């Protein structure tokens, strides 16, 4: 195994982690704290933040806010809920 192979594997693992975080945020559709993410994924907050930003292109808090806003909009449009 070469260093290049190890780096490719690391990138794939990082991409998978970023996708798992994204899917988690998409699924829960509520404000999620970094502490919750560190407990869920067993990585420190700095690592999670860097991996997510590098692979998704958003900061976690901004992505989470966007998901929450889209869910709020959907609920206002599709239900009798009010503000």
């Amino acid at each position: 195994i070469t260093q290049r192979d190890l780096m490719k594997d690391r990138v794939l693992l990082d991409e998978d982690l970023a996708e798992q975080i994204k899917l988690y945020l998409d699924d829960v559709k509520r404000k999620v704290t970094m502490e919750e993410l560190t407990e869920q994924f067993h990585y420190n907050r700095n690592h999670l933040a860097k991996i997510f930003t590098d692979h998704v292109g958003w900061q976690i808090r901004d992505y989470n806010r966007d998901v929450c806003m889209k869910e709020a909009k959907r609920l206002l449009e599709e239900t009798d809920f009010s503000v």
Side-chain angles (χ1 to χ4, degrees):
I1 296 179
T2 66
Q3 184 70 20
R4 176 178 258 166
D5 292 335
L6 292 174
M7 290 301 292
K8 284 181 187 176
D9 289 346
R10 184 73 209 161
V11 168
L12 291 175
L13 289 172
D14 289 349
E15 287 174 355
D16 185 52
L17 176 59
E19 186 61 25
Q20 288 178 39
I21 296 167
K22 188 171 176 259
L23 291 172
Y24 181 80
L25 296 173
D26 290 341
D27 186 51
V28 298
K29 293 181 177 71
R30 63 172 170 75
K31 184 177 179 183
V32 176
T33 66
M34 284 303 291
E35 289 75 24
E36 183 178 343
L37 291 176
T38 60
E39 289 174 14
Q40 179 72 26
F41 294 99
H42 308 289
Y43 286 95
N44 75 51
R45 64 187 302 133
N46 294 332
H47 183 70
L48 290 176
K50 178 169 178 18
I51 296 304
F52 192 84
T53 301
D54 287 352
H55 292 280
V56 177
W58 291 59
Q59 290 186 12
I60 290 174
R61 72 172 180 267
D62 295 336
Y63 185 84
N64 188 216
R65 185 181 305 121
D66 187 66
V67 168
C68 290
M69 294 299 287
K70 286 177 181 173
E71 178 64 3
K73 179 181 176 188
R74 184 193 70 77
L75 289 171
L76 287 171
E77 291 174 349
E78 298 177 9
T79 69
D80 292 332
F81 296 155
S82 62
V83 177

